[in-house]
């Protein structure tokens, strides 16, 4: 994939890929017999995504490149955008509350 580096691919941790898939409606279809990964499937999609248990595998970047390409094709988006979203899945979110306003649903 152009503009997608192996360095970026290995920065995507398995937990981020699992979260991304689950948010997108993918569900666990099974596990590899050797315990090195979990397969996710989506109704209406003929392909499965393999989520490795660890990013220590020698072919991790290759597996992630395959996953990014599959997701990009399925979502009709650029692989670079999908990769960016995967890398941002577990970023911290800062929520700001203005004390002058009453939160919705509050009885104060």
């Amino acid at each position: 994939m152009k503009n997608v580096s192996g360095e970026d691919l290995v920065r995507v941790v398995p937990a981020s890929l699992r979260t991304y898939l689950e948010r997108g409606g993918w569900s666990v279809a099974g596990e590899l017999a050797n315990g090195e990964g979990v397969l996710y499937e989506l109704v209406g999609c003929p392909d499965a995504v393999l989520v490795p248990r660890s990013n220590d595998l020698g072919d991790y970047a290759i597996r992630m490149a395959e996953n990014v390409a599959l997701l990009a094709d399925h979502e009709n988006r650029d692989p670079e955008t999908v990769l960016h979203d995967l890398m941002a899945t577990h970023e911290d979110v800062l929520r700001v509350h203005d004390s002058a306003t009453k939160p919705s649903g509050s009885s104060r």
Side-chain angles (χ1 to χ4, degrees), residues 1-57:
M1 284 182 285
K2 70 176 191 170
N3 301 326
V4 174
S5 74
E7 185 177 306
D8 286 340
L9 290 164
V10 296
R11 288 178 40 211
V12 176
V13 295
S16 292
L17 179 56
R18 283 192 304 271
T19 299
Y20 182 92
L21 292 170
E22 289 166 2
R23 286 180 184 166
W26 295 75
S27 59
V28 174
E31 295 187 32
L32 295 182
N34 61 8
E36 290 187 3
V38 177
L39 290 171
Y40 278 75
E41 65 182 5
L42 181 67
V43 174
C45 181
D47 299 308
V49 174
L50 172 62
V51 179
R53 290 254 186 231
S54 168
N55 55 353
D56 293 336
L57 301 174

Side-chain angles (χ1 to χ4, degrees), residues 2 33 59 63 90 93 101:
K2 70 176 191 170
D59 63 349
R63 298 294 155 240
H90 278 104
V93 175
T101 61

Side-chain angles (χ1 to χ4, degrees), residues 79-101:
E80 297 82 15
T81 305
V82 171
L83 180 59
H84 178 268
D85 289 351
L86 283 167
M87 292 187 337
T89 299
H90 278 104
E91 289 182 353
D92 290 337
V93 175
L94 177 65
R95 300 189 193 285
V96 178
H97 172 69
D98 179 358
S99 61
T101 61

Side-chain angles (χ1 to χ4, degrees), residues 102-108:
K102 182 169 69 170
S104 101
S106 174
S107 59
R108 294 193 253 165

